[in-house]
């Protein structure tokens, strides 16, 4: 099974313009993400999908493959769908371009799962919700799954809800089922990726996708099952310029071990 890791990287960001080229310990962020992906033996290739020539040039400077895509894509999945249409693979793995320390082991486990379950069309990594602070943050997408392992719903609100309105720490401590968060890493078969893009072109964002601003809801709303795969390998994302210092500190600490 040929597998390609795709890294969507756009220049414009309301919170952090030019984020893919922000320097982390002297290297652009996209260099770190690409480096982690190159450590995944299950990947046959790694490609950056971007909307900006500056990012392409940066990738070429350190030997990474990069393709230009439209600047009008509403989501990263639409962006990688355009790139994937020109590539030949049996499986594509979306790796967020703002997670410079994404774990190669987690990416490899995702591919291994898809290899062992050829009937599964899309798989999203999820992880246990760490604490009450995460439970309250809108930037953390919460997930509920069915007994068979498929995702039932994703929300920026805390789900499942508890009768009586308990939230945050009270909900986590009183839960009889584990709470999970979505990670920005998923594997998807080419035909499903094409369908995702087609739905977007024909209808735009789906209703729940638009409300929650969670793109995997587009597949679920159209009846495409998305399987959840649990991992403990959670990497920090860079949302703001101030997040870089914590990433650099972690890099230093890991080098010292």
């Amino acid at each position: 099974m040929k597998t390609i890791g795709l890294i969507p990287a756009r220049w414009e960001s309301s919170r952090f313009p030019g984020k893919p080229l922000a320097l982390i310990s002297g290297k652009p962020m996209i260099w770190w993400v690409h480096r982690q992906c190159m450590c995944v033996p299950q990947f046959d290739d790694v490609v950056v999908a971007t909307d900006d020539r500056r990012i392409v040039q940066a990738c070429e400077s350190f030997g990474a493959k990069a393709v230009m895509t439209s600047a009008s894509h509403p989501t990263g999945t639409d962006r990688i769908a355009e790139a994937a249409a020109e590539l030949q693979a049996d499986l594509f793995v979306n790796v967020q371009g703002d997670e410079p320390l994404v774990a190669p082991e987690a990416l490899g486990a995702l591919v291994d799962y898809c290899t062992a379950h050829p009937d599964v069309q899309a798989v999203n990594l999820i992880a246990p919700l760490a604490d009450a602070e995460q439970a309250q943050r809108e930037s953390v997408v919460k997930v509920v799954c069915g007994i068979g392992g498929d995702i039932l719903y994703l929300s920026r609100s805390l789900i499942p809800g508890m009768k009586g309105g308990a939230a945050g720490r009270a909900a986590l401590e009183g839960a009889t089922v584990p709470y999970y968060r979505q990670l920005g890493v998923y594997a998807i078969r080419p035909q499903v990726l094409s369908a995702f893009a087609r739905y977007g072109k024909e209808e735009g964002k789906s209703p729940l996708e638009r409300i929650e601003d969670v793109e995997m809801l587009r597949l679920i709303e159209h009846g495409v099952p998305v399987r959840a795969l649990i991992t403990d390998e959670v990497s920090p994302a860079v949302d703001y310029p101030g997040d870089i210092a914590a990433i650099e500190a972690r890099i230093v600490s890991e080098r010292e071990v």
Side-chain angles (χ1 to χ4, degrees):
M1 184 175 69
K2 183 178 180 179
T3 300
I4 295 178
L6 286 174
I7 308 170
R10 68 187 182 103
W11 184 268
E12 292 299 330
S13 170
S14 58
R15 294 178 294 188
F16 196 168
K19 182 165 57 172
L21 299 189
L23 294 181
I24 298 175
S25 296
K27 300 286 188 180
M29 187 182 316
I30 195 66
W31 181 90
W32 290 95
V33 180
H34 181 266
R35 186 192 73 155
Q36 297 298 91
C37 289
M38 292 298 289
C39 293
V40 181
Q42 292 89 339
F43 284 177
D44 296 286
D45 207 353
V46 177
V47 180
V48 176
T50 183
D51 63 350
D52 195 278
R53 182 60 59 183
R54 288 166 288 188
I55 297 174
V56 171
Q57 291 172 345
C59 289
E60 290 175 346
S61 73
F62 59 83
K65 295 181 181 179
V67 295
M68 283 289 295
T69 59
S70 170
S72 63
H73 288 305
T75 73
T77 305
D78 291 290
R79 185 173 309 286
I80 68 168
E82 180 187 345
E86 303 301 322
L87 301 170
Q88 295 294 322
D90 303 296
L91 185 72
F92 294 100
V93 177
N94 174 87
V95 184
Q96 296 287 50
D98 61 0
E99 295 192 13
L101 299 180
V102 61
E105 297 80 8
L107 301 179
L110 193 58
V111 179
D112 289 344
Y113 184 89
C114 292
T115 301
H117 300 82
D119 57 319
V120 174
Q121 299 300 299
V123 185
N124 200 151
L125 284 181
I126 68 172
L129 205 56
D131 52 40
E133 191 272 334
Q134 281 193 354
Q136 300 286 22
R137 281 170 50 194
E138 280 192 354
S139 60
V140 175
V141 176
K142 275 68 76 174
V143 186
V144 290
C145 302
I147 293 173
D150 288 341
I151 295 175
L152 297 176
Y153 194 64
L154 304 101
S155 178
R156 296 186 182 276
S157 300
L158 183 63
I159 54 174
M162 292 188 70
K163 185 177 181 179
R169 184 176 302 280
L172 295 177
E173 291 177 351
T176 56
V177 296
Y179 277 71
Y180 292 103
R181 60 173 296 187
Q182 178 202 39
L183 302 181
V185 180
Y186 56 85
I188 190 167
R189 310 283 181 184
Q191 64 272 21
V192 177
L193 189 55
S194 297
F196 179 96
R198 185 176 70 253
Y199 299 146
K201 290 177 181 177
E202 295 173 351
E203 309 162 15
K205 289 187 176 183
S206 59
L208 293 175
E209 177 194 8
R210 190 176 300 111
I211 291 171
E212 296 277 10
D213 192 24
V214 178
E215 55 209 73
M216 282 295 98
L217 285 171
R218 190 186 307 178
L219 291 178
I220 294 170
E221 286 186 82
H222 281 89
V224 179
V226 178
R227 182 67 49 84
L229 181 64
I230 301 171
T231 181
D232 292 322
E233 300 284 354
V234 180
S235 59
V238 176
D239 293 319
Y240 301 95
D243 295 333
I244 289 179
I247 298 290
E248 290 179 329
R250 180 164 167 177
I251 290 171
V252 170
S253 66
E254 290 179 354
R255 284 174 177 169
E256 292 176 345
V257 173

